[in-house]
PDB file of all heavy atoms in Angstrom:
ATOM      1  N   GLU A 171     -10.915  -1.394  -2.829  1.00 97.00           N
ATOM      2  CA  GLU A 171     -11.439  -0.606  -3.940  1.00 97.00           C
ATOM      3  C   GLU A 171     -11.612   0.849  -3.519  1.00 97.00           C
ATOM      4  O   GLU A 171     -12.482   1.183  -2.726  1.00 97.00           O
ATOM      5  CB  GLU A 171     -12.799  -1.151  -4.386  1.00 97.00           C
ATOM      6  CG  GLU A 171     -12.749  -2.548  -4.980  1.00 97.00           C
ATOM      7  CD  GLU A 171     -12.305  -2.548  -6.439  1.00 97.00           C
ATOM      8  OE1 GLU A 171     -11.933  -1.475  -6.941  1.00 97.00           O
ATOM      9  OE2 GLU A 171     -12.348  -3.624  -7.055  1.00 97.00           O
ATOM     10  N   LEU A 172     -10.778   1.723  -4.052  1.00 97.00           N
ATOM     11  CA  LEU A 172     -10.921   3.146  -3.749  1.00 97.00           C
ATOM     12  C   LEU A 172     -12.280   3.663  -4.203  1.00 97.00           C
ATOM     13  O   LEU A 172     -12.867   4.542  -3.561  1.00 97.00           O
ATOM     14  CB  LEU A 172      -9.788   3.930  -4.420  1.00 97.00           C
ATOM     15  CG  LEU A 172      -9.708   5.427  -4.158  1.00 97.00           C
ATOM     16  CD1 LEU A 172      -9.758   5.739  -2.671  1.00 97.00           C
ATOM     17  CD2 LEU A 172      -8.450   6.005  -4.791  1.00 97.00           C
ATOM     18  N   LYS A 173     -12.801   3.098  -5.262  1.00 97.00           N
ATOM     19  CA  LYS A 173     -14.125   3.512  -5.739  1.00 97.00           C
ATOM     20  C   LYS A 173     -15.193   3.194  -4.703  1.00 97.00           C
ATOM     21  O   LYS A 173     -16.133   3.990  -4.501  1.00 97.00           O
ATOM     22  CB  LYS A 173     -14.446   2.819  -7.065  1.00 97.00           C
ATOM     23  CG  LYS A 173     -15.781   3.238  -7.673  1.00 97.00           C
ATOM     24  CD  LYS A 173     -16.008   2.588  -9.030  1.00 97.00           C
ATOM     25  CE  LYS A 173     -17.366   2.985  -9.595  1.00 97.00           C
ATOM     26  NZ  LYS A 173     -17.607   2.377 -10.923  1.00 97.00           N
ATOM     27  N   VAL A 174     -15.073   2.063  -4.029  1.00 97.00           N
ATOM     28  CA  VAL A 174     -16.038   1.715  -2.972  1.00 97.00           C
ATOM     29  C   VAL A 174     -15.963   2.731  -1.842  1.00 97.00           C
ATOM     30  O   VAL A 174     -16.988   3.201  -1.327  1.00 97.00           O
ATOM     31  CB  VAL A 174     -15.773   0.292  -2.446  1.00 97.00           C
ATOM     32  CG1 VAL A 174     -16.517   0.047  -1.133  1.00 97.00           C
ATOM     33  CG2 VAL A 174     -16.199  -0.747  -3.482  1.00 97.00           C
ATOM     34  N   ALA A 175     -14.748   3.077  -1.428  1.00 96.00           N
ATOM     35  CA  ALA A 175     -14.604   4.045  -0.338  1.00 96.00           C
ATOM     36  C   ALA A 175     -15.225   5.383  -0.716  1.00 96.00           C
ATOM     37  O   ALA A 175     -15.959   5.996   0.074  1.00 96.00           O
ATOM     38  CB  ALA A 175     -13.125   4.222   0.004  1.00 96.00           C
ATOM     39  N   ARG A 176     -14.972   5.853  -1.934  1.00 96.00           N
ATOM     40  CA  ARG A 176     -15.521   7.132  -2.369  1.00 96.00           C
ATOM     41  C   ARG A 176     -17.045   7.078  -2.494  1.00 96.00           C
ATOM     42  O   ARG A 176     -17.755   7.967  -2.015  1.00 96.00           O
ATOM     43  CB  ARG A 176     -14.930   7.523  -3.728  1.00 96.00           C
ATOM     44  CG  ARG A 176     -13.490   7.949  -3.717  1.00 96.00           C
ATOM     45  CD  ARG A 176     -13.066   8.437  -5.095  1.00 96.00           C
ATOM     46  NE  ARG A 176     -13.681   9.708  -5.434  1.00 96.00           N
ATOM     47  CZ  ARG A 176     -13.702  10.236  -6.650  1.00 96.00           C
ATOM     48  NH1 ARG A 176     -13.164   9.554  -7.676  1.00 96.00           N
ATOM     49  NH2 ARG A 176     -14.261  11.405  -6.879  1.00 96.00           N
ATOM     50  N   ARG A 177     -17.528   6.025  -3.134  1.00 95.00           N
ATOM     51  CA  ARG A 177     -18.967   5.976  -3.424  1.00 95.00           C
ATOM     52  C   ARG A 177     -19.789   5.748  -2.162  1.00 95.00           C
ATOM     53  O   ARG A 177     -20.798   6.429  -1.938  1.00 95.00           O
ATOM     54  CB  ARG A 177     -19.255   4.893  -4.454  1.00 95.00           C
ATOM     55  CG  ARG A 177     -20.738   4.649  -4.680  1.00 95.00           C
ATOM     56  CD  ARG A 177     -20.976   3.839  -5.921  1.00 95.00           C
ATOM     57  NE  ARG A 177     -20.902   4.677  -7.106  1.00 95.00           N
ATOM     58  CZ  ARG A 177     -20.959   4.204  -8.350  1.00 95.00           C
ATOM     59  NH1 ARG A 177     -21.069   2.928  -8.556  1.00 95.00           N
ATOM     60  NH2 ARG A 177     -20.892   5.026  -9.381  1.00 95.00           N
ATOM     61  N   LEU A 178     -19.369   4.809  -1.328  1.00 94.00           N
ATOM     62  CA  LEU A 178     -20.153   4.524  -0.130  1.00 94.00           C
ATOM     63  C   LEU A 178     -20.083   5.691   0.851  1.00 94.00           C
ATOM     64  O   LEU A 178     -21.088   6.038   1.491  1.00 94.00           O
ATOM     65  CB  LEU A 178     -19.658   3.237   0.525  1.00 94.00           C
ATOM     66  CG  LEU A 178     -20.558   2.644   1.616  1.00 94.00           C
ATOM     67  CD1 LEU A 178     -21.988   2.469   1.120  1.00 94.00           C
ATOM     68  CD2 LEU A 178     -20.010   1.292   2.066  1.00 94.00           C
ATOM     69  N   ALA A 179     -18.926   6.328   0.958  1.00 93.00           N
ATOM     70  CA  ALA A 179     -18.825   7.507   1.813  1.00 93.00           C
ATOM     71  C   ALA A 179     -19.743   8.616   1.309  1.00 93.00           C
ATOM     72  O   ALA A 179     -20.398   9.313   2.101  1.00 93.00           O
ATOM     73  CB  ALA A 179     -17.379   7.990   1.870  1.00 93.00           C
ATOM     74  N   ALA A 180     -19.828   8.772  -0.012  1.00 93.00           N
ATOM     75  CA  ALA A 180     -20.701   9.789  -0.586  1.00 93.00           C
ATOM     76  C   ALA A 180     -22.165   9.471  -0.311  1.00 93.00           C
ATOM     77  O   ALA A 180     -22.966  10.367  -0.007  1.00 93.00           O
ATOM     78  CB  ALA A 180     -20.460   9.906  -2.089  1.00 93.00           C
ATOM     79  N   VAL A 181     -22.524   8.191  -0.401  1.00 91.00           N
ATOM     80  CA  VAL A 181     -23.898   7.776  -0.112  1.00 91.00           C
ATOM     81  C   VAL A 181     -24.245   8.082   1.337  1.00 91.00           C
ATOM     82  O   VAL A 181     -25.317   8.620   1.644  1.00 91.00           O
ATOM     83  CB  VAL A 181     -24.077   6.274  -0.414  1.00 91.00           C
ATOM     84  CG1 VAL A 181     -25.386   5.760   0.174  1.00 91.00           C
ATOM     85  CG2 VAL A 181     -24.030   6.016  -1.910  1.00 91.00           C
ATOM     86  N   LEU A 182     -23.340   7.755   2.264  1.00 90.00           N
ATOM     87  CA  LEU A 182     -23.610   7.952   3.687  1.00 90.00           C
ATOM     88  C   LEU A 182     -23.626   9.429   4.066  1.00 90.00           C
ATOM     89  O   LEU A 182     -24.392   9.858   4.928  1.00 90.00           O
ATOM     90  CB  LEU A 182     -22.569   7.212   4.517  1.00 90.00           C
ATOM     91  CG  LEU A 182     -22.576   5.684   4.378  1.00 90.00           C
ATOM     92  CD1 LEU A 182     -21.389   5.067   5.102  1.00 90.00           C
ATOM     93  CD2 LEU A 182     -23.879   5.100   4.918  1.00 90.00           C
ATOM     94  N   GLU A 183     -22.748  10.222   3.425  1.00 89.00           N
ATOM     95  CA  GLU A 183     -22.663  11.649   3.725  1.00 89.00           C
ATOM     96  C   GLU A 183     -23.728  12.460   3.014  1.00 89.00           C
ATOM     97  O   GLU A 183     -24.052  13.572   3.419  1.00 89.00           O
ATOM     98  CB  GLU A 183     -21.283  12.180   3.306  1.00 89.00           C
ATOM     99  CG  GLU A 183     -20.154  11.787   4.236  1.00 89.00           C
ATOM    100  CD  GLU A 183     -19.988  12.789   5.369  1.00 89.00           C
ATOM    101  OE1 GLU A 183     -20.754  12.683   6.340  1.00 89.00           O
ATOM    102  OE2 GLU A 183     -19.112  13.667   5.278  1.00 89.00           O
ATOM    103  N   GLY A 184     -24.252  11.915   1.899  1.00 89.00           N
ATOM    104  CA  GLY A 184     -25.208  12.666   1.116  1.00 89.00           C
ATOM    105  C   GLY A 184     -24.565  13.704   0.221  1.00 89.00           C
ATOM    106  O   GLY A 184     -25.242  14.598  -0.317  1.00 89.00           O
ATOM    107  N   ARG A 185     -23.240  13.625   0.064  1.00 89.00           N
ATOM    108  CA  ARG A 185     -22.515  14.564  -0.805  1.00 89.00           C
ATOM    109  C   ARG A 185     -21.208  13.908  -1.244  1.00 89.00           C
ATOM    110  O   ARG A 185     -20.720  12.995  -0.593  1.00 89.00           O
ATOM    111  CB  ARG A 185     -22.231  15.873  -0.077  1.00 89.00           C
ATOM    112  CG  ARG A 185     -21.410  15.714   1.195  1.00 89.00           C
ATOM    113  CD  ARG A 185     -21.213  17.047   1.908  1.00 89.00           C
ATOM    114  NE  ARG A 185     -20.531  16.881   3.170  1.00 89.00           N
ATOM    115  CZ  ARG A 185     -19.211  16.770   3.325  1.00 89.00           C
ATOM    116  NH1 ARG A 185     -18.433  16.798   2.242  1.00 89.00           N
ATOM    117  NH2 ARG A 185     -18.686  16.634   4.513  1.00 89.00           N
ATOM    118  N   PRO A 186     -20.616  14.359  -2.352  1.00 90.00           N
ATOM    119  CA  PRO A 186     -19.374  13.747  -2.817  1.00 90.00           C
ATOM    120  C   PRO A 186     -18.238  13.918  -1.816  1.00 90.00           C
ATOM    121  O   PRO A 186     -18.196  14.893  -1.056  1.00 90.00           O
ATOM    122  CB  PRO A 186     -19.073  14.508  -4.124  1.00 90.00           C
ATOM    123  CG  PRO A 186     -20.375  15.100  -4.533  1.00 90.00           C
ATOM    124  CD  PRO A 186     -21.121  15.390  -3.278  1.00 90.00           C
ATOM    125  N   VAL A 187     -17.324  12.978  -1.807  1.00 94.00           N
ATOM    126  CA  VAL A 187     -16.127  13.074  -0.977  1.00 94.00           C
ATOM    127  C   VAL A 187     -15.281  14.235  -1.469  1.00 94.00           C
ATOM    128  O   VAL A 187     -15.099  14.429  -2.671  1.00 94.00           O
ATOM    129  CB  VAL A 187     -15.327  11.751  -1.039  1.00 94.00           C
ATOM    130  CG1 VAL A 187     -13.976  11.904  -0.336  1.00 94.00           C
ATOM    131  CG2 VAL A 187     -16.135  10.625  -0.407  1.00 94.00           C
ATOM    132  N   GLY A 188     -14.764  15.021  -0.532  1.00 93.00           N
ATOM    133  CA  GLY A 188     -13.966  16.179  -0.898  1.00 93.00           C
ATOM    134  C   GLY A 188     -12.552  15.819  -1.308  1.00 93.00           C
ATOM    135  O   GLY A 188     -12.164  14.643  -1.351  1.00 93.00           O
ATOM    136  N   VAL A 189     -11.770  16.842  -1.592  1.00 95.00           N
ATOM    137  CA  VAL A 189     -10.390  16.677  -2.047  1.00 95.00           C
ATOM    138  C   VAL A 189      -9.437  16.990  -0.897  1.00 95.00           C
ATOM    139  O   VAL A 189      -9.613  17.978  -0.186  1.00 95.00           O
ATOM    140  CB  VAL A 189     -10.108  17.607  -3.244  1.00 95.00           C
ATOM    141  CG1 VAL A 189      -8.622  17.606  -3.601  1.00 95.00           C
ATOM    142  CG2 VAL A 189     -10.934  17.174  -4.444  1.00 95.00           C
ATOM    143  N   ASP A 190      -8.456  16.126  -0.718  1.00 97.00           N
ATOM    144  CA  ASP A 190      -7.347  16.402   0.199  1.00 97.00           C
ATOM    145  C   ASP A 190      -6.317  17.194  -0.610  1.00 97.00           C
ATOM    146  O   ASP A 190      -5.576  16.623  -1.406  1.00 97.00           O
ATOM    147  CB  ASP A 190      -6.753  15.094   0.723  1.00 97.00           C
ATOM    148  CG  ASP A 190      -5.631  15.302   1.728  1.00 97.00           C
ATOM    149  OD1 ASP A 190      -4.879  16.288   1.592  1.00 97.00           O
ATOM    150  OD2 ASP A 190      -5.480  14.490   2.646  1.00 97.00           O
ATOM    151  N   ARG A 191      -6.285  18.498  -0.428  1.00 97.00           N
ATOM    152  CA  ARG A 191      -5.462  19.339  -1.284  1.00 97.00           C
ATOM    153  C   ARG A 191      -3.978  19.050  -1.110  1.00 97.00           C
ATOM    154  O   ARG A 191      -3.200  19.119  -2.073  1.00 97.00           O
ATOM    155  CB  ARG A 191      -5.760  20.825  -1.001  1.00 97.00           C
ATOM    156  CG  ARG A 191      -5.150  21.765  -2.028  1.00 97.00           C
ATOM    157  CD  ARG A 191      -5.794  23.134  -1.942  1.00 97.00           C
ATOM    158  NE  ARG A 191      -7.196  23.080  -2.323  1.00 97.00           N
ATOM    159  CZ  ARG A 191      -7.630  23.137  -3.574  1.00 97.00           C
ATOM    160  NH1 ARG A 191      -6.772  23.246  -4.569  1.00 97.00           N
ATOM    161  NH2 ARG A 191      -8.914  23.095  -3.844  1.00 97.00           N
ATOM    162  N   LEU A 192      -3.559  18.691   0.103  1.00 98.00           N
ATOM    163  CA  LEU A 192      -2.156  18.365   0.307  1.00 98.00           C
ATOM    164  C   LEU A 192      -1.809  17.049  -0.380  1.00 98.00           C
ATOM    165  O   LEU A 192      -0.760  16.912  -1.005  1.00 98.00           O
ATOM    166  CB  LEU A 192      -1.831  18.296   1.805  1.00 98.00           C
ATOM    167  CG  LEU A 192      -0.352  18.143   2.166  1.00 98.00           C
ATOM    168  CD1 LEU A 192       0.482  19.262   1.551  1.00 98.00           C
ATOM    169  CD2 LEU A 192      -0.175  18.110   3.685  1.00 98.00           C
ATOM    170  N   GLY A 193      -2.716  16.053  -0.276  1.00 98.00           N
ATOM    171  CA  GLY A 193      -2.496  14.799  -0.987  1.00 98.00           C
ATOM    172  C   GLY A 193      -2.447  15.009  -2.488  1.00 98.00           C
ATOM    173  O   GLY A 193      -1.627  14.409  -3.198  1.00 98.00           O
ATOM    174  N   LEU A 194      -3.315  15.890  -3.001  1.00 98.00           N
ATOM    175  CA  LEU A 194      -3.314  16.219  -4.424  1.00 98.00           C
ATOM    176  C   LEU A 194      -1.995  16.886  -4.816  1.00 98.00           C
ATOM    177  O   LEU A 194      -1.381  16.536  -5.834  1.00 98.00           O
ATOM    178  CB  LEU A 194      -4.487  17.145  -4.738  1.00 98.00           C
ATOM    179  CG  LEU A 194      -4.559  17.731  -6.143  1.00 98.00           C
ATOM    180  CD1 LEU A 194      -4.668  16.632  -7.187  1.00 98.00           C
ATOM    181  CD2 LEU A 194      -5.740  18.701  -6.253  1.00 98.00           C
ATOM    182  N   GLY A 195      -1.531  17.805  -3.989  1.00 98.00           N
ATOM    183  CA  GLY A 195      -0.267  18.470  -4.269  1.00 98.00           C
ATOM    184  C   GLY A 195       0.906  17.506  -4.282  1.00 98.00           C
ATOM    185  O   GLY A 195       1.804  17.603  -5.130  1.00 98.00           O
ATOM    186  N   GLN A 196       0.904  16.564  -3.359  1.00 98.00           N
ATOM    187  CA  GLN A 196       1.981  15.569  -3.315  1.00 98.00           C
ATOM    188  C   GLN A 196       1.971  14.694  -4.557  1.00 98.00           C
ATOM    189  O   GLN A 196       3.026  14.324  -5.085  1.00 98.00           O
ATOM    190  CB  GLN A 196       1.850  14.727  -2.052  1.00 98.00           C
ATOM    191  CG  GLN A 196       2.154  15.484  -0.773  1.00 98.00           C
ATOM    192  CD  GLN A 196       1.784  14.711   0.486  1.00 98.00           C
ATOM    193  OE1 GLN A 196       1.130  13.658   0.411  1.00 98.00           O
ATOM    194  NE2 GLN A 196       2.193  15.210   1.637  1.00 98.00           N
ATOM    195  N   MET A 197       0.773  14.357  -5.046  1.00 98.00           N
ATOM    196  CA  MET A 197       0.702  13.553  -6.265  1.00 98.00           C
ATOM    197  C   MET A 197       1.223  14.315  -7.478  1.00 98.00           C
ATOM    198  O   MET A 197       1.855  13.743  -8.366  1.00 98.00           O
ATOM    199  CB  MET A 197      -0.726  13.066  -6.509  1.00 98.00           C
ATOM    200  CG  MET A 197      -1.175  12.024  -5.505  1.00 98.00           C
ATOM    201  SD  MET A 197      -2.566  11.019  -6.078  1.00 98.00           S
ATOM    202  CE  MET A 197      -1.798   9.975  -7.308  1.00 98.00           C
ATOM    203  N   LEU A 198       0.982  15.619  -7.524  1.00 98.00           N
ATOM    204  CA  LEU A 198       1.535  16.413  -8.611  1.00 98.00           C
ATOM    205  C   LEU A 198       3.048  16.582  -8.448  1.00 98.00           C
ATOM    206  O   LEU A 198       3.787  16.620  -9.433  1.00 98.00           O
ATOM    207  CB  LEU A 198       0.861  17.782  -8.649  1.00 98.00           C
ATOM    208  CG  LEU A 198      -0.586  17.795  -9.155  1.00 98.00           C
ATOM    209  CD1 LEU A 198      -1.218  19.160  -8.940  1.00 98.00           C
ATOM    210  CD2 LEU A 198      -0.652  17.410 -10.636  1.00 98.00           C
ATOM    211  N   LEU A 199       3.503  16.658  -7.216  1.00 98.00           N
ATOM    212  CA  LEU A 199       4.928  16.844  -6.958  1.00 98.00           C
ATOM    213  C   LEU A 199       5.731  15.602  -7.338  1.00 98.00           C
ATOM    214  O   LEU A 199       6.737  15.689  -8.039  1.00 98.00           O
ATOM    215  CB  LEU A 199       5.150  17.187  -5.484  1.00 98.00           C
ATOM    216  CG  LEU A 199       6.600  17.429  -5.043  1.00 98.00           C
ATOM    217  CD1 LEU A 199       7.203  18.622  -5.775  1.00 98.00           C
ATOM    218  CD2 LEU A 199       6.656  17.641  -3.523  1.00 98.00           C
TER     219      LEU A 199
END
Side-chain angles (χ1 to χ4, degrees):
E171 295 279 6
L172 184 51
K173 183 176 178 179
V174 166
R176 288 185 70 194
R177 173 166 280 174
L178 192 53
V181 167
L182 296 173
E183 285 272 81
R185 59 183 175 82
V187 172
V189 172
D190 182 326
R191 191 164 294 276
L192 188 56
L194 173 61
Q196 291 170 351
M197 290 201 73
L198 287 171
L199 181 62

